[in-house]
Amino acid sequence: MSIGIALATIAGGFLFPFTIRMMWGKMVDEWGAIGGWMAAAFIVGTVWTINHGIPKSMIYQSGTVWIDMAVAAGIGVFTASLLTGGKFSKSVVNLAAAVVGGVLGGFLLSLFL
């Protein structure tokens, strides 16, 4: 893997939790529950397309690791929460759920892609 591909992969992994932290809560605050559904569709769909769905995508897929975007979202949002004063002990369950969900999602995708 070249340095350029590694940097693009890191940036792609950063993009998803960053977009979640910057936009999701504001969409829910502004539009209520429908804002959460819109955030789920627009944020996840757009970032997935940038990271995986275009011919020159940001994230390099080697095919040897079972990781899904949920892992990036879980770890990124967890880290951002800690850096802004959140409590580690309160968020361990959410982090574990994100890691398990991400690995499971990546594994399931690897079975048929």
Side-chain angles (χ1 to χ4, degrees), residues 67-87:
I67 295 180
D68 191 52
M69 284 183 13
V71 174
I75 293 171
V77 171
F78 173 76
T79 303
S81 296
L82 287 180
L83 292 174
T84 58
K87 301 292 181 199

Side-chain angles (χ1 to χ4, degrees), residues 8 29 80 90 105-106:
D29 290 344
K90 289 185 176 182

Side-chain angles (χ1 to χ4, degrees), residues 3-107:
I3 292 176
I5 291 173
L7 290 174
T9 300
I10 291 168
F14 169 81
L15 182 65
F16 190 42
F18 177 76
T19 307
I20 289 171
R21 291 277 301 185
M22 295 301 293
M23 296 174 63
W24 200 301
K26 291 178 183 176
M27 292 175 80
V28 172
D29 290 344
E30 186 70 27
W31 300 312
I34 195 71
W37 286 97
M38 291 174 59
F42 292 125
I43 293 172
V44 176
T46 301
V47 174
W48 185 91
T49 301
I50 292 168
N51 282 337
H52 303 291
I54 56 178
K56 191 76 171 160
S57 58
M58 289 186 76
I59 292 185
Y60 175 71
Q61 300 280 354
S62 65
T64 59
V65 180
W66 302 332
I67 295 180
D68 191 52
M69 284 183 13
V71 174
I75 293 171
V77 171
F78 173 76
T79 303
S81 296
L82 287 180
L83 292 174
T84 58
K87 301 292 181 199
F88 178 82
S89 60
K90 289 185 176 182
S91 57
V92 171
V93 173
N94 291 340
L95 179 63
V99 170
V100 169
V103 171
L104 181 62
F107 172 69

